[in-house]
Amino acid sequence: MTFWKFFFNSTNINQIREENKNKKTKLLVKGLETNNIYLSTCKKINLEELEILCDAVGWVRRPLKKVKYALENSFLAISLFYKYGNDQRLIGFARVTSDGSFNATIWDVVIHPDFQGNGLGTLLMKQIIKELRTHDISTITLFADPDVLKFYKDIGFVIDPDGVKGMFWYPT
Amino acid sequence: MTFWKFFFNSTNINQIREENKNKKTKLLVKGLETNNIYLSTCKKINLEELEILCDAVGWVRRPLKKVKYALENSFLAISLFYKYGNDQRLIGFARVTSDGSFNATIWDVVIHPDFQGNGLGTLLMKQIIKELRTHDISTITLFADPDVLKFYKDIGFVIDPDGVKGMFWYPT
């Protein structure tokens, strides 16, 4: 498993500490001993943990077998962990489909509500972009709900460049 | 190599014949003996042929090494051939990135200009949808230039459903 530790500046660390103090009862994680945030690109993700995370943001549950297969066939999956003592909790996630060469599409971006507002989503996205750029992938795409357009714009994503439109086909 | 032969109705066959008569000098294929159209999902594509096809629609050339890698890492690649005598010519192409489970994105859809207007693009797209549906993939997406929005709409693609927007990130 590949881990990077984010070396937040002290402001961010303090923000997280403050967040934890204020939301202690709301936190999934109790008895916090450390406040380290880790990212992992390991695709062997605990599916139940991922399900709990997705439940927390109100996503519809999906068959675990299909989720497992989707993860295996994703070009990149990034998990964000909050480490406390000798344990850790999955608090963020995103994955990417790609041809590994030109194009990539980011799916299923999620940060646990108790940890939102600390810049973790931006860090997750920037790490994805960094990873994809190491493969010289230059067209990084996603499909954004209306309420997160600003979030992605602030990271540098552009809506409908040159009139190019995102289109969907669903089974009828 | 997996081949399907399209059993066009006679109108379509005649359209193609008429097209060939009228545009004989413009055709890549000379000395036509048959007018069979074949589809293949084999990813071992002749890259030079693909390059010639992409040149024909004015696409910027891309490094062949990267194209080869992209094809290998595409979930699906579909080629459309015009078969004449014992030879065949690549006249259409599209490829798909996907997690093989939930989401797919279609890229690089191209029909040679000499063969456009015969419904081959629609056939190509419908075959892609059919293939993806066999994998129970239900979110089929693409990014469409303004001049092909109607083409995709007619196939059943929807622009910005529920306000979901396509977004792009490019290196600066």
Side-chain angles (χ1 to χ4, degrees), chain B residues 21-153:
Chain B
K21 274 184 196 168
N22 296 339
K23 297 186 177 179
K24 210 167 187 177
T25 53
K26 285 175 69 183
L27 283 175
L28 283 175
V29 183
K30 288 181 181 177
L32 294 170
E33 290 174 11
T34 72
N35 51 20
N36 293 325
I37 303 292
Y38 289 86
L39 277 177
S40 166
T41 53
C42 178
K43 287 203 266 181
K44 285 181 186 169
I45 292 157
N46 183 316
L47 297 182
E48 288 178 14
E49 268 204 299
L50 183 58
E51 202 167 43
I52 289 167
L53 175 61
C54 295
D55 283 351
V57 290
W59 289 359
V60 176
R61 285 208 172 190
R62 300 183 288 188
L64 287 186
K65 197 177 166 184
K66 285 199 78 172
V67 173
K68 186 172 179 284
Y69 192 75
L71 285 172
E72 286 164 3
N73 287 282
S74 292
F75 179 73
L76 175 68
I78 290 201
S79 305
L80 189 66
F81 292 99
Y82 187 98
K83 196 164 166 64
Y84 58 105
N86 294 321
D87 211 347
Q88 62 185 22
R89 185 71 63 179
L90 181 69
I91 61 165
F93 178 79
R95 65 188 179 91
V96 180
T97 51
S98 176
D99 56 22
S101 193
F102 299 112
N103 311 318
T105 311
I106 304 168
W107 307 94
D108 299 346
V109 181
V110 54
I111 298 289
H112 191 284
D114 289 338
F115 290 85
Q116 288 176 12
N118 295 297
L120 296 179
T122 303
L123 284 166
L124 191 72
M125 290 301 297
K126 286 192 172 171
Q127 190 63 39
I128 289 171
I129 292 169
K130 192 176 166 186
E131 285 280 317
L132 295 175
R133 292 299 298 139
T134 65
H135 293 270
D136 196 28
I137 293 165
S138 53
T139 303
I140 301 174
T141 63
L142 54 80
F143 298 97
D145 285 324
D147 57 334
V148 286
L149 291 177
K150 189 184 176 304
F151 167 72
Y152 290 117
K153 272 185 193 171

Side-chain angles (χ1 to χ4, degrees), chain A residues 34-45:
Chain A
T34 71
N35 51 19
N36 293 327
I37 304 290
Y38 288 87
L39 276 178
S40 166
T41 54
C42 179
K43 287 203 266 181
K44 287 182 185 167
I45 291 157

Side-chain angles (χ1 to χ4, degrees), chain A residues 66 101 140 144 158 168-169, chain B residues 66 101 140 158 165 168-169:
Chain A
K66 285 199 77 170
S101 193
I140 302 174
V158 179
F168 286 70
W169 184 96
Chain B
K66 285 199 78 172
S101 193
I140 301 174
V158 179
K165 288 278 185 187
F168 286 71
W169 185 97

